[in-house]
Amino acid sequence: MTVTTASRQHPARERFQAFPATSPVRRLRLRAELPGGTDRGRLERALAALAVTYPDLLGPGFTVESVTADRPGSDAVLAAFEEDAAPAPRALVVGTGDAVRLALVLDRTLVDHRTAGLLLERLAALFDDGSPGEYEPAPDGAEEVRLPSEMLSEVRTELADVPLDVLLPRRAHAPAASRFSRFSFALPQDALAAVDRLCRERRLTREAVLVAAYQALLHRYSRQGRFLLGVELDRPDAAARRGATADLVPLAAEFTRASTLGTAAPAAADALDRSARRPAVPLPVLAELLGRPLSAAAPGLFGTVFALRPPLPRPVGTAAWQWEESPEAAVDCDLELTVHLDGDASEGRACFRYRAGVFDDGVAEQLARHYVRLLEAGAREPDTPLHRLPMLDEDDRGLLLDRWSGAADPWQPVEPLYRTVEHHARRTPGAPAVAAADAELSYGELNGRANRLARRLAELGVGHGDVVALCADRSAAWLTAFLAVHKLGAIVFPVDPRTPPLRLAAAFETITPRLLVHAPGLELPETSVPALPLDGVSAGAGEAGPEAEADPDHEVSLDDLAYIMLTSGSTGTPKAVFGQHRVIAHIGAGFAGLTRLTPDERASWMTPTGFGTTIAELSQPLVAGGCLVAVPGDLLTAPDALAAWLLEQRIAVTFAVTQVGSALQELPWPADTPLRILMMGGEKVHQWGPADLPFEVAVGYGCHEALFVTSPLHPWERRVTAATATPQDRLSPPPIGRPNPGVRLQILGDEGELMSPGAVGEIWFESPEGALGYWRDPALTADKYRPDPFGPPGSRHYRTGDLGRYRPDGLLEHHGRVDDMVKIRGCRVELGEVESALLVHPRVREAAVVPVRAGMGEATLVACVVLDGAVDPAELRGHLTARLPDYMVPAAFVPVDELPRTINKKVDRAALPPHDWAARRVRAQYRAPAEGLESTIAAVWAEVLGEERFGADDSFLDMGGTSLHAGRLLTRLRGVVGQQISLRDIFLFPTPAGLAQLLASRTPEPEAAPLPRLTRRQRR
């Protein structure tokens, strides 16, 4: 069986036909500069003769304009001519007095770079001999393109589940239309000499090694083991044809931790050879096979392309013209690497062409440096694993390890926090220390109560190194107990009072407290741990008087253990981190230093007592000598009431988890509010606050393993908050700041290698606020806290499981969790990116996107959204379709009153989506299929997509259909319809009604053998 295309043109010409005729991508823009004495009239006649000679390439509409301009103005004239939307081909001759400048705009559906070179050589010859030109018939190379179905099936199987997109350092929200730019660079003689040695030793071609090195570069940047690269390929019959002959073929990259350039280059050579031997597949057909049909909105197929092209003609003869492409040459992808090699020349030229709105300035220059280094290193050491090759240079390492991280630490602690409170009590005993519903205490009162309670705890047997569980809500009593435990050298184990008893009992099996101090009336687990209620104890348990209130003389070191804290465990069993007094003292000094909190200011205490941020919240004002004010629990779910409380209590600095902080920043605030800084954290913040807020809104980053790691407030003069963010900043979600002083932070790849600036990798850090490890779990501690190869001897860094990247200005962006990466249709999807795009919609307040398995087991996305009023799911789908690739658009949008939260106030993704999510798929109003063909098609589609019913107007694409589903549909439909049905048919007519109408208009054909069933290859 074969499939025959409808046109007789070479498939290479279809590469650019999905682009509008006015698109700059359709135009090949060339320039030349001629000596000032050049005869302009003769040049114009030569151009006219060229059109006579090659009407199939230039056509009857070819125009030649001639103008005069001064030298400075000629640049603008040429640029305006090239950017004009007038159809190509056309030419412009500009006389400047000292030179003649020529611009040619050609049509890339007719001419590629090889053919353009022939045209330029012919133009020079026509100019030299003054000939009027003579029509040269084109070779008769046109024929119907016959594509064997076996070959198409082989291509589809070979490329199944290989992601089309490569994760490069793109801007988060690039404009839909953007200008094009380029960065040119040389391939040094030493690098090409090493490549040639490798080619001789391994019997490879330069092209294969150059392509493999680019694949290796993409692998190092993206951390992807599999992806598709578009490669521009000139076929053996190119010389016998005229016009565009360079095909764009897909090349699947396969990398493992053991991959080398010595293994990648032969694989690339084999793939290129297979592509060259196969019949050329038109790009629209290839796009359908890969499940991404071309359209006006998405006319390109690949995110990045490699092209090995001959250089433009060199100056020869009397027409000694130096040709070059326009500086803003447009490309049909986001990023194109073009390499020009002139025969066996010892040095080559290359350039990156790219959409300037997609990539930050400097990315192309960085990619070029890294490509050259990786190419030369890999060619010299072809058997060294790619992740060990030296791609980064000293400037990169200095940027990543010194300039962007590891700033000097000005907050070295000198004493435990409780000692600082004792000093405040002696110096300013009447200054307010804590205000809560149960009591308002000065520093003298707070310290005296803590001393009395410490003596009571000692009477109950609590001593140095013992663990005391502290289970109560935010209160003066809780803070008193916290300080009292530390005065004895004991360890605080803070527990949220809402912790389920079974979870608490499980924690007590690992962490055995000497005493449980708890709020009255709390439901306690069945345990042998002695319990002490807080009622009355904090108000003055034990003997009153100077002796009872005197500071204990117990010696406690900064290196003594101070806390054990529960954190979430991926196995369902609670795990706990533990840390020293120096951590608490440092976080207090650092937080107060960053927020510039003064002794006469008040800071809120908003997070639950079992949450790590509680230690940061309470230590900040206590170090500064300010007042800690506990937020009443009922206000956390009422943003308006919480804002009123913050104003009433004259709060200067507040920390809120993302959900609460995001609501606060959207409220109206008086211009004279005492609030100066709202810090947010806990989850990724997707939206900036209004720029006109009367206070700063900053997004920080930390975890239980290290309480406060990054901040956008450091340094203050370069802070990035809602008030200082630029319009460019606001195109992306708020960054999480810079590493705090004393923090050494790295973005690493899967093999522990430093990622390039701008590339996404896993966040690792060492911090003066870091925990020592996991309580009684040395295996987990050894896995997560590893020797730091980038730090001083003996240092360790912590593996967070969070993804991040550096912006060009050294600010960090959070990119979700490592385990938030899912694959949809073989493409890696970061759920946070979909959520960020959803939150741009003005009616979406919160969003969580989760993967589910549907139909025949393929993953699909479901968006759970908290809305301001009713919003049609089709509107949300359209909103995302304009911003994201189709595979990133959820199949269903489920409105919920609120997102479920874990005990640590993070979105509980395990509880999503609701069980009835499938009923929320975006679909047309149900219309029953008509009897006959419509019903048959609808029944087959419902079976394949796992739907109970499929309406006549339901779209296969909107219901989550993919190219894999389409392959199964073809097999089933051909058996019952009796006609040949192609992938193009399904994607162009995605409803039962539309496809039935198409098939009814066709003459039935004898049934042909179906395409072989698509099977998934085993991953290595």
Side-chain angles (χ1 to χ4, degrees):
M1 172 191 167
T2 59
V3 178
T4 305
T5 63
S7 68
R8 291 172 54 84
Q9 65 183 351
H10 192 276
R13 297 192 175 191
E14 297 192 31
R15 172 177 172 183
F16 297 100
Q17 286 186 338
F19 291 88
T22 56
S23 169
V25 178
R26 282 274 292 257
R27 300 195 285 272
L28 179 58
R29 300 179 287 188
L30 305 171
R31 292 184 183 183
E33 183 151 334
L34 289 63
T38 300
D39 185 338
R40 289 169 58 185
R42 185 174 181 175
L43 176 59
E44 292 167 21
R45 289 192 294 275
L47 287 165
L50 189 69
V52 170
T53 306
Y54 300 113
D56 53 321
L57 303 182
L58 299 179
F62 180 66
T63 61
V64 180
E65 300 178 47
S66 182
V67 298
T68 301
D70 58 21
R71 183 70 187 187
S74 64
D75 286 334
V77 171
L78 289 172
F81 174 76
E82 291 170 342
E83 294 171 6
D84 194 321
R90 46 196 168 85
L92 174 67
V93 180
V94 183
T96 66
D98 63 341
V100 173
R101 307 184 74 182
L102 171 61
L104 274 176
V105 178
L106 305 176
D107 187 343
R108 295 189 73 177
T109 64
L110 304 176
V111 176
D112 60 16
H113 287 77
R114 182 191 64 83
T115 308
L118 299 177
L119 284 176
L120 301 182
E121 290 177 348
R122 185 62 171 147
L123 174 62
L126 290 170
F127 179 86
D128 283 341
D129 62 24
S131 166
E134 182 178 351
Y135 171 61
E136 293 184 6
D140 187 16
E143 60 182 14
E144 287 188 328
V145 182
R146 304 181 67 80
L147 304 176
S149 62
E150 295 80 4
M151 186 269 288
L152 291 179
S153 177
E154 177 184 320
V155 171
R156 191 175 72 228
T157 303
E158 183 179 302
L159 303 180
D161 201 33
V162 181
L164 267 168
D165 296 286
V166 184
L167 301 177
L168 290 170
R170 294 177 172 88
R171 287 175 174 162
H173 295 292
S178 60
R179 64 182 180 84
F180 296 88
S181 190
R182 74 178 179 185
F183 179 81
S184 299
F185 60 101
L187 295 179
Q189 180 176 350
D190 289 348
L192 288 182
V195 168
D196 289 339
R197 281 196 300 273
L198 177 62
C199 290
R200 290 192 298 271
E201 293 169 359
R202 306 286 174 98
R203 296 186 178 182
L204 297 167
T205 64
R206 272 185 169 184
E207 181 180 23
V209 176
L210 293 169
V211 168
Y214 188 47
Q215 289 178 314
L217 179 76
L218 298 175
H219 167 63
R220 286 282 298 265
Y221 264 78
S222 68
R223 301 167 34 253
Q224 291 174 249
R226 308 180 76 210
F227 55 85
L228 284 182
L229 170 67
V231 177
E232 194 172 281
L233 181 69
D234 251 338
R235 296 183 176 277
D237 64 348
R241 297 179 179 272
R242 194 158 74 198
T245 60
D247 292 332
L248 194 58
V249 301
L251 210 63
E254 298 268 357
F255 290 100
T256 68
R257 63 178 303 176
S259 293
T260 66
L261 193 62
T263 60
D270 289 345
L272 289 170
D273 182 61
R274 283 196 307 273
S275 295
R277 287 187 284 104
R278 286 171 176 159
V281 181
L283 200 63
V285 176
L286 180 62
E288 291 169 9
L289 286 174
L290 297 178
R292 189 180 292 182
L294 304 183
S295 65
L301 179 59
F302 298 100
T304 183
V305 167
F306 178 93
L308 183 64
R309 295 172 181 156
L312 293 172
R314 293 179 175 179
V316 291
T318 57
W321 309 340
Q322 181 67 58
W323 289 95
E324 65 174 4
E325 274 199 77
S326 166
E328 293 194 0
V331 290
D332 58 339
C333 57
D334 290 339
L335 180 72
E336 177 185 273
L337 172 57
T338 303
V339 176
H340 301 283
L341 294 178
D342 191 2
D344 295 326
S346 60
E347 186 174 278
R349 293 184 295 111
C351 74
F352 276 106
R353 294 179 173 88
Y354 60 96
R355 295 182 186 272
V358 173
F359 298 98
D360 288 305
D361 294 338
V363 169
E365 182 273 335
Q366 178 180 293
L367 286 167
R369 280 192 293 109
H370 293 166
Y371 178 68
V372 171
R373 285 179 62 84
L374 200 59
L375 173 66
E376 183 170 359
R380 292 184 185 278
E381 301 180 43
D383 298 321
T384 297
L386 292 171
H387 66 269
R388 294 182 182 170
L389 292 176
M391 186 176 77
L392 306 184
D393 58 26
E394 289 305 311
D395 288 341
D396 294 321
R397 294 176 67 86
L399 193 68
L400 295 167
L401 299 177
D402 297 326
R403 289 174 53 193
W404 285 353
S405 181
D409 185 0
W411 303 314
Q412 291 294 337
V414 296
E415 61 186 5
L417 178 65
Y418 77 88
R419 288 291 189 196
T420 303
V421 172
E422 291 174 353
H423 292 154
H424 290 320
R426 287 193 291 270
R427 288 193 295 263
T428 55
V434 60
D438 61 328
E440 294 187 12
L441 304 177
S442 66
Y443 274 96
E445 293 168 331
L446 173 63
N447 190 55
R449 290 192 179 193
N451 289 338
R452 293 198 299 273
L453 181 54
R455 285 175 168 76
R456 173 63 175 145
L457 296 177
E459 292 171 358
L460 294 173
V462 175
H464 197 109
D466 287 335
V467 176
V468 176
L470 184 52
C471 188
D473 264 325
R474 298 176 296 274
S475 60
W478 191 98
L479 180 60
T480 300
F482 179 84
L483 295 171
V485 172
H486 282 168
K487 285 173 180 279
L488 297 175
I491 305 167
V492 171
F493 174 23
V495 180
D496 191 303
R498 283 160 290 279
T499 302
L502 289 178
R503 176 179 169 86
L504 191 56
F508 281 179
E509 291 180 5
T510 304
I511 309 163
T512 306
R514 172 59 69 97
L515 184 68
L516 171 59
V517 178
H518 63 90
L522 189 67
E523 182 183 357
L524 301 177
E526 293 184 7
T527 175
S528 60
V529 177
L532 176 68
L534 266 176
D535 57 328
V537 175
S538 63
E543 181 184 353
E547 182 178 345
E549 294 193 359
D551 296 332
D553 58 1
H554 195 90
E555 287 298 325
V556 179
S557 163
L558 284 168
D559 293 326
D560 285 336
L561 294 186
Y563 66 89
I564 300 173
M565 193 175 303
L566 288 179
T567 183
S568 59
S570 58
T571 63
T573 301
K575 61 184 179 182
V577 296
F578 62 101
Q580 301 160 299
H581 281 277
R582 66 173 59 256
V583 170
I584 299 176
H586 194 284
I587 183 64
F591 204 177
L594 288 171
T595 60
R596 301 186 166 192
L597 190 73
T598 63
D600 58 350
E601 289 185 315
R602 296 157 68 87
S604 72
W605 180 11
M606 194 178 299
T607 50
T609 52
F611 199 70
T613 318
T614 275
I615 292 180
E617 286 188 283
L618 67 86
S619 60
Q620 173 193 209
L622 296 185
V623 166
C627 182
L628 175 68
V629 187
V631 178
D634 59 345
L635 298 183
L636 297 182
T637 57
D640 290 310
L642 177 58
W645 180 90
L646 291 169
L647 293 172
E648 176 189 341
Q649 294 295 322
R650 307 183 314 282
I651 302 298
V653 176
T654 187
F655 176 90
V657 295
T658 300
Q659 179 188 21
V660 176
S662 297
L664 287 175
Q665 70 178 0
E666 298 301 327
L667 297 175
W669 291 83
D672 60 348
T673 175
L675 184 63
R676 292 191 297 105
I677 294 176
L678 164 61
M679 285 286 294
M680 281 195 281
E683 286 188 280
K684 182 174 179 178
V685 178
H686 296 276
Q687 292 179 302
W688 290 89
D692 58 354
L693 285 171
F695 50 84
E696 309 267 3
V697 179
V699 180
Y701 169 73
C703 52
H704 284 78
E705 288 79 0
L707 299 178
F708 202 41
V709 180
T710 69
S711 167
L713 300 177
H714 162 71
W716 183 261
E717 60 274 8
R718 289 193 290 133
R719 65 192 183 279
V720 180
T721 65
T724 65
T726 66
Q728 183 63 44
D729 287 328
R730 289 177 174 272
L731 293 177
S732 306
I736 56 176
R738 299 178 177 88
N740 287 332
V743 174
R744 290 199 311 273
L745 185 146
Q746 303 97 28
I747 307 294
L748 302 183
D750 297 333
E751 303 302 327
E753 73 278 15
L754 273 176
M755 296 298 290
S756 303
V760 174
E762 188 172 357
I763 298 174
W764 294 66
F765 62 78
E766 181 173 15
S767 168
E769 297 162 15
L772 293 179
Y774 295 96
W775 186 257
R776 294 182 179 175
D777 195 339
L780 182 60
T781 299
D783 179 57
K784 299 289 281 186
Y785 292 83
R786 300 188 183 184
D788 183 0
F790 311 104
S795 59
R796 300 185 310 164
H797 57 175
Y798 169 68
R799 182 177 194 172
T800 66
D802 289 319
L803 294 173
R805 76 170 186 127
Y806 277 114
R807 295 190 343 181
D809 55 6
L811 285 159
L812 277 162
E813 294 176 346
H814 191 272
H815 282 259
R817 295 282 299 171
V818 171
D819 48 14
D820 277 351
M821 282 287 193
V822 299
K823 279 194 173 182
I824 304 295
R825 305 186 207 171
C827 301
R828 288 177 68 168
V829 175
E830 183 186 310
L831 300 180
E833 183 177 358
V834 186
E835 292 165 355
S836 293
L838 262 175
L839 289 166
V840 174
H841 192 286
R843 304 286 290 280
V844 178
R845 284 198 287 116
E846 295 183 75
V849 177
V850 292
V852 298
R853 296 285 173 182
M856 303 186 78
E858 290 83 4
T860 190
L861 298 180
V862 176
C864 301
V865 290
V866 179
L867 302 171
D868 284 327
V871 181
D872 189 338
E875 179 183 337
L876 295 178
R877 180 181 180 85
H879 170 80
L880 291 186
T881 300
R883 290 166 171 80
L884 300 173
D886 57 348
Y887 63 87
M888 295 179 70
V889 178
F893 297 84
V894 184
V896 294
D897 293 334
E898 61 181 12
L899 296 177
R901 301 275 167 177
T902 65
I903 193 168
N904 289 330
K905 306 304 179 187
K906 296 187 177 183
V907 173
D908 185 0
R909 295 180 182 273
L912 295 173
H915 63 88
D916 61 345
W917 69 267
R920 302 289 185 168
R921 285 186 183 272
V922 181
R923 61 196 312 166
Q925 183 175 356
Y926 182 76
R927 178 172 70 84
E931 290 293 328
L933 203 51
E934 271 190 26
S935 293
T936 300
I937 295 171
V940 172
W941 287 10
E943 174 193 352
V944 170
L945 292 178
E947 295 290 321
E948 292 185 7
R949 65 179 187 177
F950 212 96
D953 302 314
D954 284 338
S955 169
F956 165 77
L957 299 176
D958 289 346
M959 299 296 284
T962 69
S963 59
L964 300 180
H965 291 112
R968 298 186 181 107
L969 289 175
L970 289 177
T971 301
R972 285 161 173 71
L973 286 176
R974 285 169 177 163
V976 296
V977 172
Q979 295 188 38
Q980 288 305 314
I981 305 172
S982 69
L983 287 171
R984 176 188 285 267
D985 294 337
I986 292 175
F987 283 107
L988 292 180
F989 301 91
T991 66
L995 185 59
Q997 185 176 0
L998 172 71
L999 298 180
S1001 66
R1002 291 179 175 173
T1003 303
E1005 301 175 358
E1007 183 179 351
L1011 290 174
R1013 188 177 180 85
L1014 180 62
T1015 58
R1016 191 178 301 274
R1017 291 183 296 168
Q1018 293 297 317
R1019 295 183 181 228
R1020 291 181 292 173

